[in-house]
Amino acid sequence: MEHTSDHAYAIFEEQQKNRGINMDVVKQKIKSLKIETPSWGYGDSGTRFKVFKKVGIPRNPFEKIDDAAVVHRLTGACPSVAIHIPWDYVDNFESLKEHALANNMKIGAVNPNLFQDDDYMLGSVTNANASIRRKAINHLLECIDIMKEVDSQYLSLWFADGTNYPGQAHFRQRKHWMLEALQETYQALSPDMKMLIEYKFFEPGFYHTDLADWGMAYNLSNQLGEQALVLVDTGHHAPGTNVEHIVSYLIDEEKLGGFHFNSRKYADDDLIVGAINPYELFLIFYQILDAGQDRNPKVQQVADGISYMIDQSHAIEPKIPAMIRSVLNIQTQYAKALLINLSEVKEFQSKNDVLGAEDAVRKAFEMDVTPLLQTVREEQGAPAEPMQAFYQSGYQETINKRGVGGSSW
Ligand code: PSV
Ligand code: MN
């Protein structure tokens, strides 16, 4: 007997073909969208008020990979997991890599941690104390060694460096220290490695942040060289910022390297991506897909080479379902963006038809892509409904035997 979703998909496919959308390309693109999940998204986390301890949290980096592997098995879209050092420090990184491979996974970006050591209270690579700056650079270099051991291609950098009060530190001096530290780090990269530079306008510094916005990250990446690219964390902008415009600008400058997806309403809320403002996520993908058809092959290559990562803090939600929900939300908005008829939009733009162009974009957002995604998942050998499959799998009950008191982050 025919599956109900087969029928729904057949109708959907016919409608899309009539709109001039090539559904083979759309399906292929959805199948090749890979999303990296963060090891710290599986650990206990919370707010500055309270970290809630949950049952079944991974007790070590190996178990974080086990949980990430379940997300990959159920979605077919998450073959790599990002690690944070020292949160995921192990004595033998070779065995962590092997554990990932045995689970059909890879270790993705390596994230140095320059914000939790007491020495870094007044800055890491921008600290006025030279021996603290040295310690911070040594940690960055250590992370490159770890990348070699685990076969990682991405060094993903975020600095908490900043100040709380006017006059507390010398902006320009710190700018120079930041560049010097990154130059030394950049020199240590192997030719196939990329350095991703993340920015954030505030927190933990509430007066200034040394790498506060995309312009600063962009400038640094230009000074460093081709292997340095900007990473856009969707939660790291002031309210009202047009993130999709930043994305488009950076791709055109051939300097966008990756994303940290999450969603925000007030600050850097680290909520499930697509939960608060799915239209923004859709519009980000619209810009990426449009750039993927640019006349300049280098721009196309940058758009196609973006590394998509989730960076969330699941303070109250169950970890694995939260990660599955995040992946499904990303796939949903990506699939919708693939339904934009880009030639139609451009035609309206060339005629200065404001409402025609707006409608050509928005109507794709309003379409129901459920039958499409279900069909794609089944074609990939994944369950049509990954969330339901997780609840039926019994995995949560199995890991509950880990008890309470797993890793934080
Ligand atoms: C900082 O807010 C950030 O977005 C950076 O990517 C960190 O590495 C991550 O969160 C985890 O705290
Ligand atoms: Mn981030």
Side-chain angles (χ1 to χ4, degrees):
M1 210 187 89
E2 224 187 38
H3 207 269
T4 8
S5 68
D6 290 344
H7 181 61
Y9 179 69
I11 297 173
F12 178 84
E13 189 179 66
E14 193 55 31
Q15 284 166 349
Q16 297 307 323
K17 280 186 180 157
N18 292 338
R19 296 181 55 235
I21 303 292
N22 183 333
M23 289 310 289
D24 292 332
V25 173
V26 167
K27 281 161 110 184
Q28 197 37 54
K29 284 254 184 202
I30 299 171
K31 287 175 190 167
S32 37
L33 179 71
K34 297 297 170 233
I35 304 154
E36 182 160 301
T37 70
S39 68
W40 55 98
Y42 299 98
D44 270 328
S45 67
T47 64
R48 62 201 160 97
F49 302 104
K50 167 86 179 152
V51 173
F52 296 100
K53 291 277 168 197
K54 299 253 175 55
V55 181
I57 297 301
R59 292 160 294 188
N60 54 53
F62 294 88
E63 290 183 347
K64 290 180 192 169
I65 290 177
D66 294 342
D67 290 3
V70 169
V71 174
H72 180 42
R73 261 203 303 285
L74 295 174
T75 60
C78 308
S80 63
V81 57
I83 57 172
H84 223 293
I85 308 295
W87 296 340
D88 295 314
Y89 196 85
V90 290
D91 292 336
N92 182 350
F93 278 99
E94 175 73 23
S95 68
L96 194 66
K97 178 182 91 177
E98 292 304 326
H99 184 73
L101 291 175
N103 279 280
N104 205 18
M105 298 288 291
K106 266 186 61 110
I107 309 264
V110 173
N111 293 248
N113 185 319
L114 293 168
F115 49 91
Q116 279 189 320
D117 192 297
D118 285 343
D119 277 347
Y120 300 143
M121 185 175 79
L122 300 176
S124 63
V125 294
T126 63
N127 199 302
N129 180 328
S131 64
I132 295 178
R133 293 201 301 278
R134 187 70 253 157
K135 172 174 164 169
I137 296 171
N138 287 347
H139 176 58
L140 293 169
L141 299 175
E142 176 198 13
C143 285
I144 295 179
D145 289 338
I146 295 172
M147 287 170 75
K148 291 177 184 157
E149 287 181 69
V150 299
D151 269 345
S152 163
Q153 250 192 296
Y154 291 101
L155 179 70
S156 194
L157 304 179
W158 174 70
F159 297 93
D161 293 46
T163 59
N164 271 4
Y165 294 99
Q168 183 187 321
H170 195 281
F171 289 162
R172 294 197 317 284
Q173 175 65 79
R174 287 169 71 111
K175 174 173 176 282
H176 292 279
W177 281 329
M178 173 70 74
L179 177 62
E180 282 163 24
L182 291 198
Q183 277 168 335
E184 188 176 338
T185 310
Y186 189 91
Q187 295 306 320
L189 296 174
S190 312
D192 64 324
M193 290 178 175
K194 299 229 168 3
M195 173 190 282
L196 301 179
I197 306 172
E198 189 173 347
Y199 55 91
K200 172 164 160 172
F201 73 117
F202 83 115
E203 197 194 25
F206 293 107
Y207 170 60
H208 109 285
T209 296
D210 288 278
L211 268 182
D213 66 21
W214 70 270
M216 296 182 195
Y218 169 67
N219 184 45
L220 256 183
S221 68
N222 266 337
Q223 293 183 69
L224 291 166
E226 274 202 356
Q227 287 168 254
L229 299 163
V230 179
L231 183 143
V232 174
D233 182 312
T234 46
H236 289 189
H237 306 89
T241 303
N242 186 335
V243 180
E244 59 270 24
H245 184 203
I246 296 171
V247 167
S248 154
Y249 193 99
L250 287 172
I251 299 176
D252 198 64
E253 291 295 324
E254 299 165 20
K255 276 296 186 188
L256 181 66
F259 279 93
H260 271 178
F261 282 138
N262 51 59
S263 66
R264 67 184 295 280
K265 186 148 180 78
Y266 300 105
D268 184 19
D269 307 334
D270 277 337
L271 300 177
I272 289 174
V273 53
I276 303 293
N277 190 353
Y279 199 46
E280 178 184 77
L281 183 57
F282 165 87
L283 293 174
I284 287 172
F285 281 129
Y286 159 41
Q287 291 304 327
I288 294 170
L289 292 168
D290 186 77
Q293 297 191 0
D294 199 274
R295 259 180 272 135
N296 177 352
K298 189 74 212 295
V299 170
Q300 279 184 27
Q301 215 181 312
V302 172
D304 292 341
I306 295 169
S307 171
Y308 298 105
M309 297 171 265
I310 290 171
D311 178 11
Q312 294 172 181
S313 169
H314 303 137
I316 56 167
E317 52 284 65
K319 314 292 167 184
I320 300 176
M323 207 60 89
I324 295 172
R325 169 54 51 216
S326 310
V327 175
L328 303 187
N329 286 358
I330 294 170
Q331 287 179 323
T332 300
Q333 298 314 323
Y334 185 65
K336 288 180 182 221
L338 282 163
L339 301 181
I340 301 171
N341 184 327
L342 294 171
S343 332
E344 189 188 10
V345 181
K346 284 185 188 125
E347 182 68 25
F348 283 124
Q349 289 173 342
S350 69
K351 291 181 186 149
N352 279 332
D353 186 337
V354 178
L355 290 185
E358 190 273 344
D359 183 59
V361 171
R362 184 191 19 80
K363 72 184 173 197
F365 178 70
E366 288 167 354
M367 287 173 193
D368 178 8
V369 290
T370 313
L372 167 63
L373 288 174
Q374 287 179 337
T375 303
V376 165
R377 290 190 191 111
E378 282 178 341
E379 285 181 7
Q380 276 181 303
E385 291 293 342
M387 191 69 94
Q388 202 183 321
F390 174 72
Y391 286 122
Q392 287 168 356
S393 70
Y395 186 76
Q396 187 65 51
E397 291 68 29
T398 309
I399 59 174
N400 283 351
K401 296 192 188 106
R402 293 171 182 162
V404 180
S407 318
S408 291
W409 299 291

